[in-house]
Amino acid sequence: MPATGRPCLILGVESSCDETGLALVSLPERGAPQLLAHALHSQIDMHQAYGGVVPELASRDHIRRVVPLARQVLADANKSMADIDVVAYTRGPGLAGALLVGAGVACALGAALGKPLLGVHHLEGHLLSPFLSVDPPEFPFIALLVSGGHTQIMRVDGVGQYELLGETVDDAAGEAFDKSAKLMGLPYPGGPHLSKLAVGGDAQAFDLPRPMLHSGNLDFSFAGLKTAVRTHLVRLGWLDRPDLLAAQEAQPVLANLAASTQAAIVEVLVKKVLAALKSTGLKRVVVAGGVGANRSLREQLDRACARRQIRVHYPELHLCTDNGAMIALAAAMRLQAGKATLVIEPSFDVRPRWDLAAI
Ligand code: KG4
Ligand code: ZN
């Protein structure tokens, strides 16, 4: 940790996908890191017309947003560029071009200010984000990482001590939400839209598979679920028929299909987390990543864990999806744990594919 005699000020830059996130975290010599300010620009509206993230558009938009957002967090925290001690950026995994924007800006800032850089693993950011909540967890715990691109169960013994216990062999849970939602004619990103549509729907109405529920390990598979949703829509005659999907009389049936899809995803996630708790004997769970915002997942996991005297921790709702706060926080916690590799020379790299258990 740079010795300044005052709390270390960390700027966090997130640009791995379709959100530009900037944040300032203060790391006191003793005690927990404090979030001073964070600002976010979501590109969802821009990508919605294409039904998914267009990588080239994402990179260009990050370029437009990152400096104004950096200025905004500095103003919000009443700090200046010169106060920054460390510039942290998402080094991976994510879209290569999008990552390069954040890394490039972070590197330029570091060089201009003469301050070190710290490349952060995006999933470590998600994993540690509940430490910014009012009820932070304690190590060790089981982490359920459920984002748009990853579904993993990890054993977490401390900062940088991550053991992968299971992961998806094909689609991520977020992808299962997004792809099923797209088939139902819902806008991108489908997860929140599908879960809204599911309210009031009958989760038993459609018989959908619970893939790998009894696989005997902690791996997941969600690709078959999307195919099953597709098959039901073919039977209904609604596949690729936006006119029929938008019709008033289709809505109750779609609500049932959405509720059934959500129930299948949530049941598998909850049961695998319970199996991980049982096999490790741990008594604490952290849920992180965009799908962690799902209400049904929270309700069912809370209920199942309450019965077993197991504590469940979530990030604040607004910090479930991608943001800069989790990147600055992960940098702070690594610095505090003496596990940060600070880079001084003005050079950087990104890792579009990067295994969290390997860091
Ligand atoms: O962690 P995240 O913001 O980005 C990645 O790192 O991928 O996760 C985005 C994913 C998307 O698949 C999105 O549909 C899903 O999180 N998501 C949800 C909800 N909010 C976001 N899925 C289900 N229910 C939600 N409420
Ligand atoms: Zn993410």
Side-chain angles (χ1 to χ4, degrees), residues 201-290:
D202 175 5
Q204 318 283 329
F206 287 87
D207 187 19
L208 292 172
R210 268 67 173 155
M212 292 184 78
L213 191 57
H214 304 293
S215 61
N217 61 18
L218 297 173
D219 287 339
F220 304 87
S221 163
F222 289 109
L225 181 60
K226 158 203 72 192
T227 310
V229 169
R230 190 175 193 282
T231 306
H232 281 295
L233 288 168
V234 169
R235 276 199 205 116
L236 288 160
W238 294 348
L239 189 73
D240 296 332
R241 289 293 306 268
D243 53 330
L244 300 180
L245 288 166
Q248 201 58 42
E249 49 286 13
Q251 298 320 301
V253 182
L254 285 174
N256 288 346
L257 186 56
S260 304
T261 306
Q262 176 172 266
I265 297 171
V266 167
E267 184 181 338
V268 180
L269 292 175
V270 171
K271 292 222 165 120
K272 295 273 175 170
V273 168
L274 295 178
L277 289 161
K278 198 168 168 201
S279 69
T280 57
L282 295 181
K283 293 280 180 204
R284 205 179 277 277
V285 180
V286 158
V287 181

Side-chain angles (χ1 to χ4, degrees), residues 2-337:
T4 55
R6 57 175 171 77
C8 173
L9 187 67
I10 301 159
L11 177 74
V13 183
E14 155 63 30
S15 71
S16 66
C17 189
D18 57 352
E19 252 110 25
T20 322
L22 273 291
L24 281 171
V25 161
S26 165
L27 175 61
E29 271 184 50
R30 267 181 214 87
Q34 302 289 317
L35 178 62
L36 301 185
H38 84 110
L40 192 74
H41 176 79
S42 168
Q43 304 176 352
I44 284 176
D45 290 348
M46 185 181 76
H47 295 296
Q48 222 156 39
Y50 306 93
V53 178
V54 184
E56 178 64 24
L57 294 182
S59 311
R60 292 179 191 205
D61 201 59
H62 287 308
I63 291 172
R64 277 192 287 273
R65 309 290 174 183
V66 67
V67 172
L69 288 174
R71 291 212 169 98
Q72 187 182 325
V73 289
L74 285 165
D76 290 351
N78 208 12
K79 301 280 182 194
S80 71
M81 290 276 183
D83 295 324
I84 297 170
D85 297 303
V86 174
V87 185
Y89 66 95
T90 305
R91 189 176 171 207
L95 301 170
L99 288 166
L100 279 167
V101 175
V105 169
C107 182
L109 254 179
L113 299 170
K115 294 295 157 71
L117 298 181
L118 209 170
V120 173
H121 196 293
H122 179 82
L123 293 179
E124 184 173 44
H126 276 304
L127 188 79
L128 298 177
S129 60
F131 283 90
L132 283 175
S133 68
V134 285
D135 177 27
E138 279 167 29
F139 298 113
F141 53 77
I142 290 295
L144 174 67
L145 272 177
V146 271
S147 67
H150 293 83
T151 300
Q152 299 184 330
I153 293 187
M154 313 207 74
R155 181 193 166 110
V156 178
D157 286 295
V159 175
Q161 293 171 260
Y162 312 129
E163 183 192 348
L164 183 65
L165 302 178
E167 64 182 333
T168 184
V169 298
D170 43 50
D171 288 353
E175 253 175 308
F177 270 109
D178 294 345
K179 289 179 177 174
S180 303
K182 196 171 182 180
L183 289 166
M184 292 178 215
L186 299 172
Y188 164 85
H193 291 282
L194 188 147
S195 87
K196 216 158 117 195
L197 180 61
V199 176
D202 175 5
Q204 318 283 329
F206 287 87
D207 187 19
L208 292 172
R210 268 67 173 155
M212 292 184 78
L213 191 57
H214 304 293
S215 61
N217 61 18
L218 297 173
D219 287 339
F220 304 87
S221 163
F222 289 109
L225 181 60
K226 158 203 72 192
T227 310
V229 169
R230 190 175 193 282
T231 306
H232 281 295
L233 288 168
V234 169
R235 276 199 205 116
L236 288 160
W238 294 348
L239 189 73
D240 296 332
R241 289 293 306 268
D243 53 330
L244 300 180
L245 288 166
Q248 201 58 42
E249 49 286 13
Q251 298 320 301
V253 182
L254 285 174
N256 288 346
L257 186 56
S260 304
T261 306
Q262 176 172 266
I265 297 171
V266 167
E267 184 181 338
V268 180
L269 292 175
V270 171
K271 292 222 165 120
K272 295 273 175 170
V273 168
L274 295 178
L277 289 161
K278 198 168 168 201
S279 69
T280 57
L282 295 181
K283 293 280 180 204
R284 205 179 277 277
V285 180
V286 158
V287 181
V291 180
N294 185 269
R295 262 223 341 247
S296 171
L297 174 64
R298 288 182 174 223
E299 282 166 11
Q300 302 213 26
L301 196 59
D302 286 349
R303 204 173 311 138
C305 287
R307 279 203 294 269
R308 295 165 175 81
Q309 274 87 48
I310 284 162
R311 297 280 314 273
V312 191
H313 299 262
Y314 303 92
E316 303 288 331
L317 256 187
H318 67 286
L319 297 181
C320 272
T321 44
D322 294 347
N323 62 82
M326 68 185 196
I327 300 305
L329 173 76
M333 291 182 72
R334 280 212 157 243
L335 284 165
Q336 201 167 35

